[in-house]
Amino acid sequence: PKPVEQRLMQQELVEQIAAGMALLPPIQRAALQLKADGHSQAEIAEILELTSGNVGVLIHRARKTLGDFLAPYLDPEVSS
């Protein structure tokens, strides 16, 4: 794609990620955002007052949900 088209596609992806994040339950969104900010699973557990195992489950579920939400956008061959 041309540079202008590429920038527009990147902007649209950022918007779709934000929309997908907004659909997550608040606790999943918080865990995923903290992970994206570079916190370890143990740090996230302490911040959210959860067990490390629970944090792992929350992050896994959030990534799965976000991936499913973004799949049609990332792979045009996938039907909605």
Side-chain angles (χ1 to χ4, degrees):
K2 296 179 182 177
V4 173
E5 291 172 350
Q6 196 168 18
R7 279 193 301 249
L8 289 173
M9 288 170 36
Q10 287 174 339
Q11 180 180 348
E12 186 175 349
L13 178 58
V14 168
E15 291 170 2
Q16 291 300 317
I17 291 170
M21 289 288 287
L23 294 176
L24 296 174
I27 193 72
Q28 286 183 14
R29 184 171 49 247
L32 189 59
Q33 186 61 57
L34 288 166
K35 186 67 173 170
D37 290 344
H39 291 281
S40 70
Q41 195 164 312
E43 290 170 332
I44 297 168
E46 187 175 328
I47 292 166
L48 297 179
E49 299 179 350
L50 299 168
T51 66
S52 182
N54 195 348
V55 168
V57 169
L58 290 172
I59 291 170
H60 173 77
R61 289 179 181 168
R63 286 178 174 162
K64 171 78 169 103
T65 300
L66 193 56
D68 290 347
F69 179 80
L70 293 173
Y73 175 78
L74 296 174
D75 186 359
E77 298 297 317
V78 175
S79 60
S80 353

